[in-house]
Amino acid sequence: MLNCKQFTDLASEHIDHEHTGWKRVEVRLHLIICRHCRRFNRHLDRSRQTGATIAQQVWRSDEGTSDLIFSRIIAAAKNKNDANP
Amino acid sequence: MSLAVNEQELIARLKAGDNNAFKHLISAYHLKLVIVARAIVGDVFAEDVAQEAWASIYKAIGHFEGRASLSTWMIQIVSNEAKSRLRREKRHSSFGDIDEVRPEVAAENFDGNGHWVNPPAHWDINTPELMLQEDQLRHCIEHTLTILPENQKAVFLLRDVEQRDLDDIAELLSLSEANVRVILHRARLQLMKTINHYQETGEC
């Protein structure tokens, strides 16, 4: 029978529906009987969702960076064309 | 512009040679490509690799067939560029062979039988929508995302932002699936720890 500490180790895999067979049954049974682990699971899932939303918003480049990278691409392409007319 | 919603329109503009569309793509994806590159080839070469990947993307976008999503295609390109650079530099991956010790919630939270003695506390701000409205909490999460180790950043990006399968992530980053699971769990636990601390103290 799974205990709480073991569940916390498996919680990400549970969120990702990675468990099959008896492991999945064990995890689900544990969640039925343990409200603390249900809360842990909920918190981990919401942390993941909130973190992903914020990452999507902040892991972007500003306009200046985009312009700079684009100008380098164009310059490199032009140099290549000049070298191989 | 959301890539998911307007992807077909964006692809059409990119194929037509619309430079503004390409700049938009760079803006949305450069940092993400750097994160993936950094996880494979390390910090020193990551920007350079991402730049090479952009050159390849620019050159090949006209032939993009749409068999995979645009982001999947771009991430595959930067992964290939990074692995190729790694071979050229004959260096080992910065994190390819991490230990597989499972990440843990602190042992003092459990008794000898593995049952909670310090169970998770109630969160007053308890939905992602409410958390996103809390400026200070957003700041704390942004900071945590910034200081995550590079491997955790890349795996979290690929799984929870880009929603790639674990086996794809393992292939992209040259890791075992077991390692990907461990690294992902560590990143999520770190985010949860940050949010938990904020819920208890109102501070990062």
Side-chain angles (χ1 to χ4, degrees):
Chain A
M1 186 80 179
L2 207 63
N3 66 34
C4 301
K5 185 163 189 337
Q6 289 166 331
F7 173 77
T8 63
D9 288 341
L10 297 171
S12 269
E13 291 168 36
H14 173 67
I15 287 170
D16 289 325
H17 308 291
E18 287 282 309
H19 295 135
T20 55
W22 176 242
K23 182 62 75 183
R24 183 159 72 178
V25 174
E26 262 193 316
V27 167
R28 287 183 174 182
L29 280 176
H30 184 80
L31 284 174
I32 287 169
I33 60 168
C34 182
R35 65 191 170 91
H36 298 317
C37 285
R38 285 200 299 277
R39 177 176 280 176
F40 180 91
N41 186 60
R42 199 163 55 240
H43 285 183
L44 189 67
D45 196 25
R46 290 176 183 178
S47 302
R48 171 186 76 86
Q49 291 172 34
T50 309
T53 303
I54 292 176
Q56 182 69 274
Q57 293 165 357
V58 300
W59 284 346
R60 297 177 65 90
S61 302
D62 58 29
E63 205 174 312
T65 305
S66 308
D67 287 348
L68 180 65
I69 292 164
F70 187 73
S71 65
R72 284 180 187 155
I73 294 168
I74 299 300
K78 187 173 180 303
N79 285 343
K80 206 168 185 179
N81 284 342
D82 290 349
N84 304 300
Chain B
M1 186 192 298
S2 155
L3 285 189
V5 174
N6 296 315
E7 180 151 322
Q8 292 310 316
E9 183 194 332
L10 178 64
I11 291 167
R13 288 173 58 198
L14 290 165
K15 286 185 157 196
D18 181 335
N19 289 348
N20 285 330
F22 203 84
K23 287 180 191 173
H24 167 80
L25 197 65
I26 295 172
S27 174
Y29 267 88
H30 179 64
L31 209 47
K32 292 170 187 160
L33 297 194
V34 171
I35 288 170
V36 173
R38 204 177 273 145
I40 296 168
V41 78
D43 193 40
V44 175
F45 301 108
E47 282 282 350
D48 204 22
V49 163
Q51 180 75 45
E52 287 169 9
W54 282 118
S56 300
I57 291 164
Y58 184 74
K59 197 172 154 192
I61 192 73
H63 306 293
F64 176 67
E65 293 174 351
R67 284 197 290 248
S69 74
L70 195 53
S71 68
T72 298
W73 181 68
M74 292 190 297
I75 288 167
Q76 187 67 57
I77 288 175
V78 79
S79 166
N80 292 345
E81 294 279 358
K83 289 172 188 170
S84 164
R85 172 60 74 96
L86 196 63
R87 282 191 295 273
R88 286 209 303 277
E89 299 296 336
K90 295 185 169 47
R91 295 172 72 247
H92 294 292
S93 167
S94 52
F95 72 94
D97 303 315
I98 70 157
D99 63 275
E100 292 193 19
V101 175
R102 297 201 73 89
E104 286 188 339
V105 177
E108 63 262 28
N109 289 312
F110 304 96
D111 65 19
N113 294 320
H115 299 303
W116 290 103
V117 288
N118 295 312
H122 169 75
W123 283 1
D124 289 330
I125 310 164
N126 63 5
T127 67
E129 292 74 22
L130 289 173
M131 289 187 221
L132 292 167
Q133 289 168 20
E134 192 84 8
D135 285 346
Q136 180 63 21
L137 177 55
R138 281 185 69 99
H139 167 74
C140 300
I141 295 171
E142 283 178 28
H143 178 68
T144 300
L145 287 169
T146 304
I147 62 169
L148 282 179
E150 295 306 331
N151 57 358
Q152 292 183 28
K153 222 183 268 186
V155 171
F156 182 75
L157 164 71
L158 293 172
R159 178 63 192 165
D160 285 338
V161 180
E162 294 296 321
Q163 298 176 355
R164 301 294 295 266
D165 290 338
L166 296 180
D167 55 346
D168 283 349
I169 298 170
E171 191 276 328
L172 285 165
L173 300 180
S174 300
L175 292 170
S176 68
E177 273 189 59
N179 267 346
V180 169
R181 285 195 190 94
V182 169
I183 293 166
L184 179 64
H185 195 46
R186 283 180 182 161
R188 289 172 175 172
L189 286 175
Q190 194 57 45
L191 284 164
M192 187 172 75
K193 194 174 162 189
T194 296
I195 296 171
N196 214 34
H197 185 71
Y198 181 84
Q199 301 265 1
E200 286 175 3
T201 66
E203 295 173 354
C204 292

